[in-house]
Amino acid sequence: MTILHRTSTIHQALLVLVAASSVSCASNPEAVTQTAARPAPSIDPLPRVSPVDATPVPGVEHRSSVERARLDVLHYDLSIDLRRLDDTVMQAVARLNVRPSPDATYVDLDFVGLSADSVLMDGAHVSFSQGPEILRIEPDAGFSETVRIEIFYGGRPLNGLFFGPDPAGNPTVFADNWPNRARWWFPSNDYPEDKATAEFMVRVPPGYSVVANGRLVGVDGDTWRWRTDVEIPAYTLVIGVAKSERATIGDAACGMAPAAVDGGECAEVSTWALTGSGAYGEQRFTRAADMVDFYTEMFGPYPYEKLAHVQSSTQFGGMENSSAIFYAMGAWAEERMGEGVIAHETVHQWFGDSVTPARWSHLWVSEGFATYFTAVYMDARDGDGALRQAMEQGRERIVGSDASNRPVVDERPDLFGLLNSNSYPKGAWILHMLRTLIGDEAFFGAVRAYYAQHRNGVADTEDVRRAMEQASGQDLTGFFEQWAYSPGFPKLKVNSAHEGDEMVITIEQVQSEDWPTFRGARLELEITWDSGDVERHEVWLTSRSDELRIPTRGQVATITLDPNVKLLMEAVEDPPR
Ligand SMILES: [Zn+2]
C-alpha cells in the first residue's frame, strides 16, 4: 500500500476510531433483524453466543504460527446483506471450505466484534464458542478431511468494513483489511500465508453498485455476485459499496491473464469513481493499462481476472487489494493523486498479492518491490532520471529514520510499525543494489523466476536470495545478512593525503558498532583535481577502514561519493577540499 500519513498517526487514528466505535455501537445481536437472505436456524446452537466483551488492538499478532496452522481455508463464500446502509449494520452468512489439520479436534477462526448466531458443518448444527478474538468450532465427532462450515452472523463492524459518506453525502461501505482486519467483518484464517478463492453475494439498496475481487458474475436486481478463482490472502479480500461511476480504461495483459471478464482474453482495466469524480478518474488513470502491460512484460503474466481502480474510504493512500485497488477518497475527490501511487499498487498485484510475504516480518518483499518498480516504470516511460531521483529521496528517508536501527526483516508484533523506511525505501535499495551487483540480465531474470515459482503463493527473503543466486551464480548470503537481517548502512568518512607520488584516499566506516561492518559493497568515487580534471575510481568496502592509492595529479578539489547513486550509505562529513 502507500501510506497517507505518518505511521504513528495512522495507528493512533485507528485506535481512537475503534475506541469510539466500541462505545457507541456495542455489538447487539438482538438489534439485528432477520432478512430474507438469511434463513433463521431452527435449532439453537450450543453454547449460546456470549457478548463480545473485549476489543483486541488491530494490527497486532495474537495467534502463534502453530495455532493458525491448524487449518487451511480453501474457499470463502460470503453472502452479505447491506441494504440497511444508513443503520451501518450487516447480516451475513460465511460459508468456508476448510481443511483442518488431521489431528484437529477443533478449528479456530479469527473473528472479532461481530456475533455468530449459529454454525453448521456439512449442513448440521455444530458446537461453537466465541471469545473476543476467536470463533472456535468443536464438533463432537471431529472432522473429515475437508468440511464446509456455515456461519450465520451480523452486527455493526467496528473495524475492517467501514460505513461512511461519500463527498456528496451518500452512504458507502468499503473494506480495509491490512494487515489483519478481515476478521472484523468475516470469520477467517486472517494470515497472509493462507490463501483461498472467494465469491461474494452482496445485496445493496437501489442505485448502489458493488465492486469486489475477481470477475463480476452478474447482477440480479439488488444482488451483485463476484467471484475470484485465483487464491488470494484474506487481507486483500474486499468489497466496496457505493454510488459509483464505472469507466473502462482499456484492456491489458492480453493473452497473459487468467480467463477474464466477459470471456475475453485480456484483463479489463477500469475506474470506479464516486459520483462526480468520474472524469478525473479517467484522466488520472490514462496510463493504468500501460502499467499492467509494462509489468506483465517485465514480471510475467498478470495474476488476476481484471483490475479495478476504486475510489474508496481506505485509510491508506492506496491499498493493493487483489484486482480491486482501493484509493483514498479525499485525494481523488480533490484531484491531487500522484501517478506513483497507481504504479505502486499495480506492482503489488504481482508482489504482495500474488507473491505474498510468508510472514509480516518480511513485508519488504511486498513494499520494497512496489517502491522500486514504480521508479523503474517512471524512469522507463518518462526518463528524466526518475529512478535516480527516487533512490536519492529514499536514501534521505533511510538516513533520517530511527527505523534504521532495526533490521529490514523485523519480528516486531506491532504490524503498523512495519510501515516504515525499512520496508519501503530500504527494501527498494536492497533490490537496487542487487541489480548493480549481479547486472540487469541476472536481476530481471531472477525477478521473473521468483514470480513464476511463487505465483499465487508466499515467499520470504530467503526465496529472493535463492532466486538472485540462481540467476547470478553468486553467493549472496553475506549481502542479505548485512542489508536485510542487520540494521543500518555504512556511514562513510573520507580523507585524502599525499604519500610520495601517490594520493592515499582513506574510507572509514564510522557507523556504530551495533551496525555491521559492510563488506563486499562497491563504492564509486569521483575525484576532481584542482586542475579541473575528473577521475572515477572504485573501492570495495572490506573493513572499517579501506584505502585507495592513485597517482597524484596535484591537489584534490572535491571527492564525490557514489556519483551514480548505487550504494546505500551516508557521507558523514563534507568531502575534503
Ligand atoms: Zn505498498
Side-chain angles (χ1 to χ4, degrees), residues 14-34:
L14 186 64
L15 290 177
V16 169
L17 177 64
V18 170
S21 302
S22 305
V23 172
S24 62
C25 37
S27 185
N28 179 2
E30 279 70 40
V32 176
T33 57
Q34 300 291 330

Side-chain angles (χ1 to χ4, degrees), residues 1-2 320 344-345 348 367 370 424:
M1 80 225 59
T2 44
E320 65 267 23
H344 180 105
E345 309 309 337
H348 271 314
E367 298 302 347
Y424 288 77

Side-chain angles (χ1 to χ4, degrees), residues 434-444 474:
L434 281 168
R435 183 178 170 184
T436 302
L437 195 60
I438 69 176
D440 275 10
E441 186 178 339
F443 175 77
F444 286 102
Q474 296 185 31

Side-chain angles (χ1 to χ4, degrees), residues 341-357:
V341 64
I342 303 168
H344 180 105
E345 309 309 337
T346 301
V347 176
H348 271 314
Q349 302 302 303
W350 285 263
F351 300 113
D353 296 355
S354 183
V355 183
T356 302

Side-chain angles (χ1 to χ4, degrees), residues 194-463:
D194 188 7
K195 296 186 166 187
T197 54
E199 62 188 288
F200 310 86
M201 188 179 78
V202 186
R203 301 187 74 179
V204 292
Y208 280 80
S209 57
V210 179
V211 66
N213 311 100
R215 64 191 171 83
L216 181 61
V217 177
V219 183
D220 181 9
D222 61 1
T223 302
W224 292 61
R225 291 173 180 271
W226 289 84
R227 180 182 178 91
T228 178
D229 294 316
V230 182
E231 292 194 344
I232 61 175
Y235 78 93
T236 76
L237 192 157
V238 292
I239 59 170
V241 177
K243 289 188 172 175
S244 294
E245 300 172 8
R246 178 185 168 186
T248 301
I249 299 297
D251 284 336
C254 294
M256 297 285 277
V261 182
D262 302 328
E265 293 181 353
C266 307
E268 186 197 62
V269 180
S270 63
T271 55
W272 293 62
L274 298 168
T275 304
S277 293
Y280 173 70
E282 289 183 64
Q283 166 210 328
R284 180 71 282 183
F285 288 86
T286 306
R287 296 204 288 189
D290 178 61
M291 290 173 186
V292 174
D293 282 334
F294 179 86
Y295 293 128
T296 298
E297 192 171 333
M298 183 168 283
F299 305 145
Y302 178 69
Y304 302 117
E305 298 92 338
K306 60 99 174 55
L307 182 56
H309 296 278
V310 182
Q311 188 182 9
S312 78
S313 62
T314 178
Q315 75 178 87
F316 304 109
M319 177 60 215
E320 65 267 23
N321 306 310
S322 303
S323 77
I325 298 169
F326 283 9
Y327 296 89
M329 190 181 290
W332 185 319
E334 294 156 23
E335 305 190 355
R336 53 179 174 83
M337 284 180 60
E339 207 177 20
V341 64
I342 303 168
H344 180 105
E345 309 309 337
T346 301
V347 176
H348 271 314
Q349 302 302 303
W350 285 263
F351 300 113
D353 296 355
S354 183
V355 183
T356 302
R359 294 173 298 288
W360 289 121
S361 50
H362 295 255
L363 181 62
W364 82 273
V365 307
S366 174
E367 298 302 347
F369 277 66
T371 304
Y372 188 63
F373 288 106
T374 295
V376 169
Y377 174 84
M378 296 302 177
D379 199 73
R381 287 293 187 260
D382 299 338
D384 298 322
L387 178 60
R388 178 193 173 110
Q389 189 183 7
M391 300 318 295
E392 283 176 333
Q393 289 172 349
R395 187 158 66 184
E396 278 176 28
R397 276 191 60 199
I398 297 160
V399 165
S401 171
D402 289 342
S404 294
N405 289 314
R406 301 179 68 96
V408 169
V409 177
D410 189 344
E411 303 291 342
R412 67 202 301 160
D414 164 26
L415 302 180
F416 278 88
L418 291 168
L419 304 181
N420 61 21
S421 61
N422 281 344
S423 301
Y424 288 77
K426 194 171 177 190
W429 261 102
I430 288 174
L431 294 174
H432 189 55
M433 290 190 290
L434 281 168
R435 183 178 170 184
T436 302
L437 195 60
I438 69 176
D440 275 10
E441 186 178 339
F443 175 77
F444 286 102
V447 170
R448 291 180 69 84
Y450 169 76
Y451 174 62
Q453 186 175 356
H454 302 288
R455 181 178 173 183
N456 300 332
V458 297
D460 65 14
T461 306
E462 290 302 289
D463 295 308

